[in-house]
Amino acid sequence: MTEQPLGLTQLIAAAEAHLPDGVDAYPTQIGVFCDDCGLLSLHDYLVHTDMTRPERLQVARDHLTANEGWDCGAAGDLCPDCKGDEPGMCPACDTAANERCAACGSCRCDRHDTCTRPA
């Protein structure tokens, strides 16, 4: 037996099953432009009523970074053709290898409360 993709009604019902009471999921179309060349990536996403506009945009940016080779981070939104990642660069926060924590070597995504700075 082959698995059929869920229809819109089933997708929304599945998303709502994981949301708190009183919060509804709904589909929305979000476009993200490459800050360098202007390429538009337009997709449908499921968001919920408690999300702010920046949070909804972050859903699209997270998807593009994880699945389509974009670099959507602190430096902006860059398509796969325009991103110029240096080796060792974190795609989430754009921390280059030479900007990582001197004590632990981690990027800006991590907290550094317990790091002891070298003398």
Side-chain angles (χ1 to χ4, degrees):
M1 178 193 296
T2 60
E3 240 182 75
Q4 297 296 319
L6 294 176
L8 180 59
T9 304
Q10 291 88 355
L11 282 173
I12 292 174
E16 287 178 340
H18 301 287
L19 297 175
D21 290 338
V23 177
D24 295 319
Y26 63 93
T28 188
Q29 193 170 69
I30 302 173
V32 177
F33 287 92
C34 175
D35 292 334
D36 194 22
C37 71
L39 175 74
L40 170 64
S41 179
L42 190 64
H43 293 286
D44 294 323
Y45 300 96
L46 280 177
V47 296
H48 60 81
T49 53
D50 276 0
M51 294 177 113
T52 64
R53 186 177 183 154
E55 289 171 333
R56 291 190 304 266
L57 177 60
Q58 193 61 45
V59 168
R61 295 177 87 216
D62 290 345
H63 167 79
L64 292 173
T65 299
N67 301 299
E68 296 194 15
W70 282 59
D71 184 357
C72 297
D77 302 320
L78 300 172
C79 72
D81 292 337
C82 294
K83 72 177 188 176
D85 286 349
E86 303 167 18
M89 185 172 227
C90 176
C93 68
D94 292 329
T95 303
N98 64 350
E99 297 173 325
R100 292 180 181 263
C101 177
C104 71
S106 296
C107 66
R108 290 188 290 257
C109 290
D110 301 310
R111 293 189 54 104
H112 303 276
D113 297 338
T114 60
C115 290
T116 304
R117 300 284 176 198

